[in-house]
Amino acid sequence: MSVVIVLEGAGPGSFTVAVSPLAELSACLHALTGSAHHPQLREWATAVTDGASGALRAGLHRFSPLWSALRWRGFYPGLDGTAAGGTRPVAGGLDEQLQGLAGLPVARFAELTAFACVSGYRGFDFSRLLHSAGQRAALGHAVAALSAERRALAAELLRDPERCRDGLLVFLDRCRAEFFTQAWADTEPELLRSAHTVRGRLTAGGGWGPAGTDELSAALASLSPDASRLTGPPRVVFDKLHHSVITPARTPVLLVPSRHNSPHLVVKNEPGLPPVLHYPVDAPEVGVTLARSRMLALTDPRRVRLCRLIARESMTTLDLAARLSMTAPQVSRHLRALRDLGLVRTERSGRFVLYRLDLAAVERLGQDVVTGLQH
């Protein structure tokens, strides 16, 4: 499955890059309740949770479905239908964004929250959740086999959606007081720099046309190691666990940088709302496709023996062929495959080319797999 961004007819005006404190708060909450996914934030997450009040701890448990696998759309700008690329601002300060949540019609709040409770959109219609017995029953049935947190939040939503919304707002305000004010002060400058960089990449082609489309494609592909640039029509494909097609020429896209989201690239594409790409400012270098290819390359016993030899010292193709009882062309094919995957380095000594295993790349393989599976 994949998220496809079709660039035909799109230009720089089809994209807006903006920082969003509320979106970053959602990333912080995700990291706090899933610190195993974010080892680089584990120390920070431990410090926050160790010093958290009882009310904050309770809220982290109560509302956790909103920032788990399917990020709640309420955390992102554009709930009023304002599309990226328009004349109105798409993001603001945390106060302004929380006010926007407070003014969200309760029926819309219930619809978006129900989607988060069931962790998906396919096959569900919650547009009349508050007034349709069938939709309420569908929500109850869908969460019955899910986690206790999802069942509890769905039950609270059906029982009293206004109280649920008010409780969420109180919790988010508590987050600001207990940890997010400092986290945002530390993070905002980096997000602004990233937004400026990505904005420059999007506009580097100077506008519409093949050259401009190529720059748009390159800018979007830089957001993820698992992105592919394709033609006919020009498009960027992100390897994700859900399928979606986004056409910026018709529906402008909002790009939001994040520090605490890393390594995740979150794509939001709900009907009737501007698509959002919540991207990590430090996208990992190795994605799941490359990590998997590297593991597969090392399942060949001949390559394993070859790697054991060049892990200790640099060697030539002829030397390896003699030691492994293989022909030089056979060894060359294996070395080429390993080099293309970034597992082997070369150096020249006179007229000879020496090959050596990149031990750092092999050492990172396990972590690359973990990171790639999450991206």
Side-chain angles (χ1 to χ4, degrees):
M1 293 181 286
S2 57
V3 172
V4 183
I5 301 182
V6 180
L7 296 175
E8 191 170 35
S14 303
F15 300 88
T16 294
V17 190
V19 299
S20 167
L22 185 56
E24 191 63 16
L25 176 53
S26 76
C28 288
L29 292 168
H30 175 82
L32 288 174
T33 55
S35 57
H37 302 170
H38 305 270
Q40 77 279 12
L41 295 173
R42 193 168 295 150
E43 183 177 349
W44 169 82
T46 299
V48 170
T49 52
D50 285 351
S53 65
L56 182 63
R57 291 173 181 269
L60 285 171
H61 179 77
R62 176 184 176 188
F63 296 109
S64 60
L66 300 183
W67 51 79
S68 57
L70 181 78
R71 203 68 59 85
W72 187 53
R73 184 57 177 82
F75 287 127
Y76 296 97
L79 288 178
D80 58 357
T82 303
T87 57
R88 295 180 57 190
V90 295
L94 186 59
D95 283 337
E96 180 183 346
Q97 293 185 336
L98 290 178
Q99 289 171 7
L101 279 185
L104 188 66
V106 67
R108 187 61 160 153
F109 171 84
E111 178 186 15
L112 296 176
T113 305
F115 286 131
C117 288
V118 301
S119 192
Y121 301 95
R122 182 172 297 180
F124 296 107
D125 178 8
F126 296 129
S127 59
R128 299 182 62 254
L129 182 70
L130 303 185
H131 308 289
S132 168
Q135 291 187 8
R136 294 168 68 87
L139 174 58
H141 178 75
V143 299
L146 301 179
S147 67
E149 291 81 5
R150 294 182 185 279
R151 296 196 302 271
L153 184 58
E156 180 181 353
L157 179 68
L158 292 174
R159 184 170 56 250
D160 192 340
E162 291 188 6
R163 181 177 179 275
C164 183
R165 181 186 61 185
D166 293 344
L168 175 62
L169 289 168
V170 170
F171 168 71
L172 295 177
D173 195 56
R174 182 172 293 278
C175 290
R176 168 169 50 187
E178 293 201 27
F179 71 86
F180 187 67
T181 295
Q182 184 60 54
W184 182 245
D186 295 339
T187 305
E188 184 184 16
E190 183 179 15
L191 302 187
L192 289 171
R193 288 193 296 271
S194 175
H196 177 76
T197 299
V198 172
R199 194 178 296 117
R201 291 173 182 166
L202 289 168
T203 57
W208 283 257
T213 299
D214 189 59
E215 295 295 342
L216 291 177
S217 174
L220 294 173
S222 71
L223 304 180
S224 169
D226 286 313
S228 302
R229 300 170 63 189
L230 304 177
T231 58
R235 61 200 186 278
V236 176
V237 179
F238 295 104
D239 184 359
K240 302 294 291 181
L241 291 176
H242 65 281
H243 181 68
S244 181
V245 178
I246 297 172
T247 52
R250 294 201 298 264
T251 309
V253 176
L254 174 63
L255 306 180
V256 180
S258 174
R259 157 57 58 192
H260 295 84
N261 239 10
S262 182
H264 306 307
L265 171 72
V266 177
V267 181
K268 305 297 297 175
N269 187 29
E270 291 81 356
L273 291 172
V276 179
L277 268 63
H278 198 190
Y279 69 90
V281 295
D282 54 349
E285 296 181 4
V286 178
V288 66
T289 302
L290 178 55
R292 178 177 179 273
S293 297
R294 285 179 170 180
M295 289 194 300
L296 287 174
L298 296 176
T299 60
D300 187 318
R302 293 167 298 180
R303 288 179 184 169
V304 172
R305 291 199 302 271
L306 187 155
C307 287
R308 292 179 66 182
L309 287 170
I310 61 176
R312 295 178 292 182
E313 61 178 312
S314 301
M315 301 179 68
T316 67
T317 301
L318 293 176
D319 194 7
L320 286 167
R323 291 171 182 259
L324 295 169
S325 300
M326 298 169 61
T327 66
Q330 288 174 324
V331 171
S332 293
R333 283 195 294 271
H334 287 301
L335 288 171
R336 187 183 308 113
L338 294 169
R339 186 182 59 195
D340 290 345
L341 292 171
L343 294 175
V344 166
R345 293 183 176 180
T346 61
E347 58 186 80
R348 184 168 288 279
S349 177
R351 62 189 182 90
F352 295 104
V353 176
L354 301 175
Y355 296 85
R356 190 176 185 91
L357 189 66
D358 189 333
L359 294 176
V362 177
E363 185 178 5
R364 290 196 314 268
L365 190 55
Q367 184 58 52
D368 287 341
V369 171
V370 172
T371 302
L373 290 174
Q374 297 177 69
H375 196 70

